Amino acid sequence: MSQTVEGSSRQTATASETLIEVENLKKYYGDSGLLAEPPVKAVDDVSFDIKRGETFGLVGESGSGKSTLGRTLLQLETATEGTVSFAGTDITELQGKDLKEWRRNAQMVFQDPESSLNDRMTVGEIIREPLEAHNWGNKKERRERVMDLLSEVGLQEEHYFRYPHQFSGGQRQRIGIARSLALEPEFVVLDEPVSALDVSVQAKIITLLEDLQEEFDLTYLFIAHDLSVVRHICDRVAVMYLGKIMELGETESLYENPENPYTRALLSAIPRPDPTATRARITLPGTPPSPRDPPKGCQFSTRCPAKIYPAEYDDLPNEVWDGLERFREIVRERSRLSLSTKDRVARQLGMFSKYDDIDEAVNDFFGDIDVPSDVDEHIDAAVEMIKDGHPGDAREYLLDEFGSICDHERPAFTSVGDDRQSYCHRHVDDYEDVDTVLDRRVYGE
Ligand code: ADP
Ligand code: MG
């Protein structure tokens, strides 16, 4: 949002000062016990920084780890690994009184103003609560502070004694914003602050957030699942998929010229104002893998339209590759399910009939297309392993035969221009670049 005050002294003085520095941050859930299921890798090794005064956007589909990342930055969750520095202090090390004191600096606004406000407290009590928790001022000062905050967010003094349920969604979000600003934080995580609101109300809340940012020199992490919301308010954007930042960069440059295949796919789904400029939409096949069992290589490798194929199979037609990837997805799912006791019980109860008919799945994927005989033999071999009750072996077999660097190795977060980074093997080594591959595979040029 500091773009809107371009040229002002604040912009020039603070543009490059780092406020938050995140290094190799991981947040895993349920990482305990020998017999437990594998942990959910909600945030899986991300590094980036947020500059003072900027609005940093974090976008990605539901479940990609955005809220977890936001909460971990605020130490509402304990990081599994990695560091978060705030103005030079590693806050993952803070405890007790120091942590409480630091918390004044960093606040969160939640998506759902329905459930995030306590309906049994008056608006005045809700906004006053953080002031009381931190022994801010005396009773009279706190009351005055709340009155000021009400007016800052466009509410009236008489709202002090009302209850949240008496307000509309937009007004409730104003209450949440007032509360988050009570202790004069420097940094605010806005977790989908307008996703639950009508479009007309969204615009008003966004304007309010921009005004408050300018008035109080705030730094924002703005989380959204919708790329179009973020474009107009963020200075830089990070795109997340399955716990990983796939691409990061200055907003306009990233939207105009996305480098990562995942960003490409997301952006292709947004209608463009100029219909002649519209490229075909990239429809992502399959479903995101479980964050308990993410791909060993690139997180996006199971659905990537620009995936690198092993040289000996590079000339297989698209539809054969699509079939192979979907077949591997099913095999992977089955090998995963066969690991957990709970799922084994469900299997005995006959709840997996859909996946148990492997012949039918193979027929769905390959029945109507020409499959070269060597590929066909490998599919048959894998099917036999599954029927023998060894889906894990089938998974390994298919990985050996059809896997590539994208399945085996995590890409590097590679610099792809001014302040732009992207997580993709195609940016390094001598593979064809993303453009060329998408032109051929997706657009048939
Ligand atoms: P997003 O905000 O992008 O929708 P989240 O950060 O809420 O994603 O969730 C990321 C992943 O972590 C999801 O698979 C979710 O189910 C899981 N997750 C989130 N919170 C918890 C939790 N407290 N315990 C276990 N798993 C969680
Ligand atoms: Mg979320």
Side-chain angles (χ1 to χ4, degrees):
M1 285 185 207
S2 48
Q3 275 181 336
T4 57
V5 290
E6 209 172 354
S8 79
S9 57
R10 184 169 74 92
Q11 168 80 357
T12 15
T14 60
S16 58
E17 188 194 334
T18 297
L19 180 63
I20 294 163
E21 195 170 358
V22 178
E23 266 181 279
N24 303 112
L25 189 69
K26 295 184 183 176
K27 176 61 193 177
Y28 293 177
Y29 290 110
D31 198 359
S32 61
L34 273 174
L35 295 171
E37 280 194 283
V40 172
K41 299 180 174 176
V43 173
D44 202 5
D45 194 355
V46 302
S47 302
F48 61 98
D49 53 30
I50 301 179
K51 293 166 188 162
R52 192 182 286 277
E54 86 170 331
T55 299
F56 186 92
L58 188 60
V59 298
E61 293 162 291
S62 170
S64 54
K66 307 179 298 294
S67 296
T68 303
L69 178 53
R71 289 197 304 266
T72 312
L73 290 194
L74 298 185
Q75 288 300 288
L76 299 172
E77 306 266 8
T78 312
T80 304
E81 251 182 76
T83 56
V84 179
S85 303
F86 188 94
T89 305
D90 180 1
I91 56 165
T92 58
E93 299 286 319
L94 293 182
Q95 280 177 348
K97 216 171 125 247
D98 293 337
L99 180 59
K100 185 175 174 185
E101 193 51 35
W102 173 79
R103 283 235 163 90
R104 300 171 68 138
N105 283 325
Q107 299 289 328
M108 188 142 180
V109 172
F110 297 92
Q111 163 172 6
D112 186 3
E114 292 299 311
S115 55
S116 58
L117 303 178
N118 185 340
D119 236 340
R120 276 182 285 188
M121 289 163 78
T122 65
V123 169
E125 286 167 334
I126 289 171
I127 302 175
R128 210 174 59 210
E129 194 179 41
L131 297 173
E132 279 163 356
H134 285 268
N135 292 318
W136 189 97
N138 61 32
K139 215 172 162 182
K140 180 164 167 285
E141 286 163 339
R142 290 199 285 264
R143 196 188 150 90
E144 281 167 8
R145 173 86 182 129
V146 174
M147 292 303 182
D148 285 348
L149 285 161
L150 282 172
S151 105
E152 287 291 352
V153 300
L155 295 170
Q156 268 100 58
E157 291 196 358
E158 70 248 35
H159 292 148
Y160 192 96
F161 294 105
R162 299 222 188 124
Y163 287 87
H165 71 264
Q166 297 171 295
F167 292 86
S168 68
Q171 285 174 315
R172 291 168 71 111
Q173 199 52 295
R174 288 175 194 267
I175 298 166
I177 292 167
R179 178 185 157 99
S180 77
L181 296 182
L183 292 163
E184 301 183 75
E186 292 175 84
F187 176 55
V188 184
V189 172
L190 304 160
D191 192 355
E192 309 216 26
V194 299
S195 300
L197 306 176
D198 292 343
V199 176
S200 59
V201 182
Q202 286 188 1
K204 289 187 186 135
I205 296 294
I206 284 177
T207 306
L208 171 68
L209 289 169
E210 289 183 296
D211 292 346
L212 292 168
Q213 179 175 45
E214 207 180 330
E215 184 170 353
F216 300 115
D217 284 339
L218 298 168
T219 303
Y220 287 150
L221 176 71
F222 193 112
I223 297 175
H225 61 261
D226 184 347
L227 275 141
S228 49
V229 168
V230 163
R231 179 164 193 166
H232 304 286
I233 41 178
C234 291
D235 300 299
R236 290 188 303 148
V237 172
V239 179
M240 238 181 143
Y241 180 82
L242 208 61
K244 195 81 190 172
I245 292 180
M246 305 301 293
E247 184 162 6
L248 189 162
E250 189 269 316
T251 308
E252 271 316 298
S253 140
L254 184 140
Y255 277 65
E256 281 303 317
N257 187 19
E259 298 280 353
N260 190 278
Y262 181 62
T263 319
R264 291 290 189 95
L266 281 188
L267 285 171
S268 79
I270 299 179
R272 289 187 164 233
D274 172 9
T276 60
T278 308
R279 301 218 81 174
R281 180 179 173 149
I282 303 174
T283 313
L284 292 182
T287 49
S290 163
R292 285 190 196 277
D293 185 21
K296 200 166 92 214
C298 172
Q299 271 85 345
F300 189 46
S301 59
T302 61
R303 306 172 76 200
C304 182
K307 185 173 177 180
I308 296 162
Y309 299 141
E312 65 269 37
Y313 291 120
D314 197 36
D315 54 357
L316 281 184
N318 275 348
E319 68 255 30
V320 177
W321 268 117
D322 288 347
L324 281 171
E325 291 294 341
R326 301 292 63 78
F327 179 54
R328 288 179 64 192
E329 186 173 308
I330 284 193
V331 175
R332 190 172 58 240
E333 209 51 24
R334 288 192 52 151
S335 66
R336 198 171 69 78
L337 294 175
S338 69
L339 296 175
S340 93
T341 333
K342 203 173 74 206
D343 293 320
R344 233 170 309 170
V345 172
R347 177 179 301 261
Q348 279 158 7
L349 296 173
M351 287 160 70
F352 284 126
S353 54
K354 183 170 153 235
Y355 293 119
D356 277 1
D357 199 343
I358 198 72
D359 288 323
E360 196 176 309
V362 169
N363 194 48
D364 282 348
F365 297 139
F366 303 106
D368 298 333
I369 58 178
D370 278 337
V371 182
S373 59
D374 55 336
V375 174
D376 216 21
E377 278 164 30
H378 294 307
I379 295 170
D380 286 346
V383 166
E384 284 314 308
M385 292 176 197
I386 292 165
K387 288 181 174 169
D388 289 346
H390 303 295
D393 291 350
R395 176 181 180 166
E396 283 302 313
Y397 181 87
L398 292 168
L399 178 65
D400 277 351
E401 193 54 39
F402 298 109
S404 74
I405 185 169
C406 299
D407 299 274
H408 291 289
E409 279 177 36
R410 291 267 152 108
F413 203 41
T414 312
S415 172
V416 286
D418 284 352
D419 207 13
R420 284 275 299 280
Q421 286 157 300
S422 170
Y423 177 80
C424 177
H425 282 299
R426 288 209 178 265
H427 301 315
V428 285
D429 298 323
D430 32 30
Y431 298 107
E432 270 183 311
D433 65 21
V434 177
D435 269 323
T436 316
V437 174
L438 289 181
D439 279 349
R440 191 178 66 247
R441 287 193 197 155
V442 181
Y443 305 116
E445 283 167 14

